[in-house]
Amino acid sequence: MARKPVAPIPPQKLLIMIVGQKGGVGKTSFGRSLLSHLRSDLGRSVLAYDGDGAVGGLVKIFGSKAGDGTIAEKQDPAVGCGFYDIRSEAERDQLLNSLEDGAEIVLHDLAGGSLASLTQIVDNGQQTLVRFCRAVAEAGYRPVFVHVISNIEEALYSVGDYLDATAVNKQAGPNGDMVADHVIVQNLFFGDPEDFIWLHGHEFTSKDGTKTDRGGKIKAEILEPLGYPIVAFPRVPGGSFALAEFERVPLAGLNDVTRLRIAERMRLRAYLETFADEIAPLRSFLNLTPVAKAA
């Protein structure tokens, strides 16, 4: 299970976990667009789960509804979205148990700050996910952590914590044994790619003219040597996002339930096309190709 710098991983079943230790970075918004892209654009079979319980943002949009419009208690994660609370000792096992169905892709949108809860599943809260990741591998899946980040320094702390937790010796890097894959997602709501200075590095100049290089260490010493991709999450059109929230439908299906004006429709189309273009490195890294449609 040791992971050295490699080319894109071979086709295999995937456990995709969307994570972040900080809330408010757009993790669920990205998860919605990714799930819609996988199911609708690529035609892939995906079991989807919201690890924030029935109040989570993923199940709100993709979950099947009861007659009164509320989230149905019973969900088919293959077409809707299952849900559980990763923070609950009685429920968090659902993450591993979701692999029993053998779907080609299983996607979990985890609540912010879930790392401690993940370590409780099989690692006894020891600030490591090595046993957890090995359990995933034994079930026939490759564990993939997708980190959605803002452009502040604290967002990188979360990435570093997960990288260390998935290193056998708790020291992530090209000389360590990594037991999971990682993808970094820059949420462009917070700025352009060059504004993510803590990820890419930046030369700071003090008032006395002293120049100091700061940031960029995780990218230079871990992400790039291990081949972990960095992708961009384009800004979501505000009006379309608000309508999708109101209608409780994915952005890709918004025009099916409400009549959009031409300008709104074109902005939404541009967003969906840009999203697909921006996550091309993620698709390549995980060998996510479209499923051929039957003739």
Side-chain angles (χ1 to χ4, degrees):
M1 194 60 190
R3 175 68 195 273
K4 302 295 184 181
V6 294
I9 63 176
Q12 58 186 279
K13 292 185 288 188
L14 297 170
L15 170 61
I16 299 174
M17 293 160 285
I18 304 175
V19 300
Q21 288 298 82
K22 281 191 63 63
V25 295
K27 177 177 57 61
T28 294
S29 295
F30 178 80
R32 291 173 178 175
S33 290
L34 178 61
L35 178 56
S36 184
H37 178 67
L38 292 173
R39 284 179 172 173
S40 301
D41 298 341
L42 301 186
R44 303 300 294 261
S45 173
V46 183
L47 297 188
Y49 293 88
D50 195 319
D52 202 12
V55 300
L58 196 68
V59 69
K60 175 182 178 181
I61 299 300
F62 288 91
S64 302
K65 310 301 188 294
D68 60 358
T70 60
I71 300 297
E73 187 67 27
K74 291 187 177 181
Q75 295 280 333
D76 180 356
V79 295
C81 182
F83 60 91
Y84 64 99
D85 188 347
I86 188 66
R87 294 156 295 207
S88 167
E89 183 178 358
E91 298 182 26
R92 63 173 65 109
D93 285 358
Q94 180 62 43
L95 202 168
L96 274 181
N97 293 342
S98 67
L99 307 181
E100 293 176 344
D101 291 327
E104 62 177 23
I105 302 172
V106 181
L107 183 148
H108 287 253
D109 179 27
L110 299 180
S114 293
L115 180 57
S117 296
L118 286 173
T119 66
Q120 294 289 341
I121 297 177
V122 291
D123 291 280
N124 301 315
Q126 296 299 309
Q127 297 184 322
T128 178
L129 292 173
V130 171
R131 288 192 180 93
F132 170 82
C133 291
R134 284 174 173 165
V136 172
E138 288 175 7
Y141 285 80
R142 184 72 193 177
V144 182
F145 292 93
V146 176
H147 308 265
V148 182
I149 65 170
S150 65
N151 61 355
I152 66 173
E153 185 179 14
E154 286 79 3
L156 268 295
Y157 296 163
S158 170
V159 177
D161 289 343
Y162 273 92
L163 287 166
D164 286 343
T166 54
V168 172
N169 59 0
K170 296 185 181 181
Q171 293 295 319
N175 297 319
D177 289 339
M178 305 298 294
V179 293
D181 283 298
H182 298 266
V183 177
I184 312 302
V185 179
Q186 304 168 111
N187 187 349
L188 300 189
F189 173 83
F190 297 99
D192 296 325
E194 58 267 26
D195 296 321
F196 287 72
I197 57 178
W198 297 105
L199 174 63
H200 301 293
H202 183 76
E203 184 180 74
F204 287 80
T205 304
S206 65
K207 289 184 177 181
D208 64 4
T210 303
K211 297 182 182 297
T212 306
D213 290 328
R214 300 179 68 182
K217 184 176 180 180
I218 285 178
K219 176 183 175 182
E221 297 183 4
I222 302 175
L223 302 179
E224 289 183 335
L226 289 171
Y228 295 147
I230 299 171
V231 303
F233 176 27
R235 294 182 180 90
V236 182
S240 296
F241 180 84
L243 282 172
E245 283 285 307
F246 177 78
E247 298 288 353
R248 296 195 173 193
V249 296
L251 283 167
L254 184 58
N255 200 46
D256 297 331
V257 298
T258 187
R259 184 178 179 183
L260 297 177
R261 305 294 296 272
I262 293 175
E264 292 173 320
R265 194 163 63 247
M266 292 303 100
R267 284 194 293 267
L268 178 57
R269 178 188 297 177
Y271 164 74
L272 295 172
E273 291 174 351
T274 303
F275 179 86
D277 290 341
E278 292 288 2
I279 67 166
L282 180 153
R283 288 196 307 272
S284 176
F285 182 63
L286 300 179
N287 281 293
L288 291 169
T289 56
V291 173
K293 297 182 179 179

